[in-house]
Amino acid sequence: MSLSSANVALTFKHYKSGTKPIWCPGCGDFAVLNAITKALAQLQLPLQDVALISGIGCSSRIAAYTSVYGFHGVHGRALPLATGLKAARKDLTVLVAGGDGDGLSIGGNHFIHACRRNKDLTYIMMDNEVYGMTKGQASPTTAPDWENSKLTPEGTGIRSFKPAALALASGASFIARGFSGDPNGLARIIAAAIEHKGFAFVQALSVCPTYRPEHAEWKEHVRKLETGPTDNPMLAIQRIVADDGMSTGIIYQRELPSLVRAGNDQSGTLAEIESEFEL
Ligand SMILES: Cc1ncc(C[n+]2csc(CCOP(=O)(O)OP(=O)(O)O)c2C)c(N)n1
Ligand code: SF4
């Protein structure tokens, strides 16, 4: 019997697997894990109705730390895995999580197309502006003047992506930003993202004390957005470009069509899906 059907109120602890995370002390990913599990508890989603798909990176380990269905995939391929799962199992709430490297370097092409397809997925990008797992290389969100003495001694000299702008230009229908230093605020954003029908993108600023210790300063700069969400893309892009990337809240939310062809309900029982592959 599932916990929910036994009428037990689920707390965030029910959504944790009990496996101890091996993240470094102070890693922002602990707070993102708390925010995701709090959001699931807020929505009282039955454990067996949720799946969390991730790629590879420190942040992508998160799938193992929750008790919902999980798939720790390959680097940069979390979104196509999740898209396939959602196509086959429309009834599941599908969350996707990973790092800025996973989602914007090797997985960048999948990111823009996932936004465009607008499938009902919640994508949480844990943005620490660095490749943590492989020991501190610059990522697509690293500022051009970040001097990593060993690898990029004079900075990359390459302009960084603004993930929210990229998501908007690519067609995402929900765009928000949260911060590991405010797990309750991040949980509320993730809950709203899950409830949104369509592709919801949440950029979770997540500190990496090991390779970006200067991000301890983020807590001085992060602030709440002064405005509520808009459904006007022109207004949204103006707000995103005018901002320094440190404002948190829901930036943009709009109802947009999803990639599901009319009359082609892609869901089905396992037996029905299996029968499609019978020779
Ligand atoms: C195909 C492939 N290429 C490269 C790697 C090496 N690799 C593992 S994690 C990673 C980047 C991790 O950075 P990010 O996604 O930002 O996550 P973080 O570790 O910072 O949470 C890379 C390049 C890999 N595992 N597979
Ligand atoms: S290297 Fe950075 S991102 Fe990876 S676990 Fe340590 S603090 Fe977290």
Side-chain angles (χ1 to χ4, degrees), residues 179-261:
F179 174 44
S180 59
D182 175 19
N184 290 333
L186 182 58
R188 284 192 291 276
I189 289 172
I190 293 171
I194 293 171
E195 285 189 307
H196 174 76
K197 293 284 162 255
F199 188 80
F201 172 59
V202 180
Q203 178 192 10
L205 299 170
S206 185
V207 293
C208 172
T210 303
Y211 295 108
R212 303 298 310 259
E214 68 278 21
H215 284 169
E217 288 174 12
W218 273 357
K219 59 180 182 302
E220 318 295 338
H221 301 298
V222 169
R223 69 196 92 81
K224 298 258 187 278
L225 275 168
E226 285 171 9
T227 51
T230 177
D231 61 0
N232 179 336
M234 290 299 287
L235 199 53
I237 195 67
Q238 279 170 12
R239 288 178 183 170
I240 292 167
V241 172
D243 188 65
D244 62 358
M246 291 281 123
S247 299
T248 59
I250 302 170
I251 302 165
Y252 176 74
Q253 185 168 15
R254 186 177 174 194
E255 269 186 45
L256 286 175
S258 177
L259 173 80
V260 178
R261 278 171 287 163

Side-chain angles (χ1 to χ4, degrees), residues 62-234:
I62 199 163
Y65 304 142
T66 73
S67 56
V68 298
Y69 285 116
F71 195 102
H72 190 184
V74 287
H75 195 34
R77 303 294 183 260
L79 281 166
L81 283 165
T83 303
L85 176 62
K86 187 69 188 177
R89 287 288 308 273
K90 259 178 28 180
D91 57 309
L92 287 182
T93 294
V94 181
L95 313 185
V96 194
D100 41 292
D102 190 82
L104 293 173
S105 290
I106 191 168
N109 198 28
H110 295 300
F111 175 60
I112 56 176
H113 288 282
C115 292
R116 176 172 87 86
R117 292 187 183 111
N118 197 33
K119 272 213 158 291
D120 191 10
L121 302 171
T122 298
Y123 180 36
I124 300 148
M125 179 180 287
M126 296 149 82
D127 186 1
N128 55 13
E129 300 184 342
V130 75
Y131 291 180
M133 180 171 262
T134 46
K135 302 200 182 303
Q137 298 87 350
S139 89
T141 56
T142 305
D145 59 353
W146 178 60
E147 292 176 15
N148 169 338
S149 58
K150 280 191 192 150
L151 298 161
T152 43
E154 293 170 14
T156 63
I158 307 169
R159 280 178 300 167
S160 50
F161 277 143
K162 282 182 181 283
L166 191 58
L168 182 71
S170 309
S173 53
F174 179 108
I175 299 167
R177 186 181 301 114
F179 174 44
S180 59
D182 175 19
N184 290 333
L186 182 58
R188 284 192 291 276
I189 289 172
I190 293 171
I194 293 171
E195 285 189 307
H196 174 76
K197 293 284 162 255
F199 188 80
F201 172 59
V202 180
Q203 178 192 10
L205 299 170
S206 185
V207 293
C208 172
T210 303
Y211 295 108
R212 303 298 310 259
E214 68 278 21
H215 284 169
E217 288 174 12
W218 273 357
K219 59 180 182 302
E220 318 295 338
H221 301 298
V222 169
R223 69 196 92 81
K224 298 258 187 278
L225 275 168
E226 285 171 9
T227 51
T230 177
D231 61 0
N232 179 336
M234 290 299 287

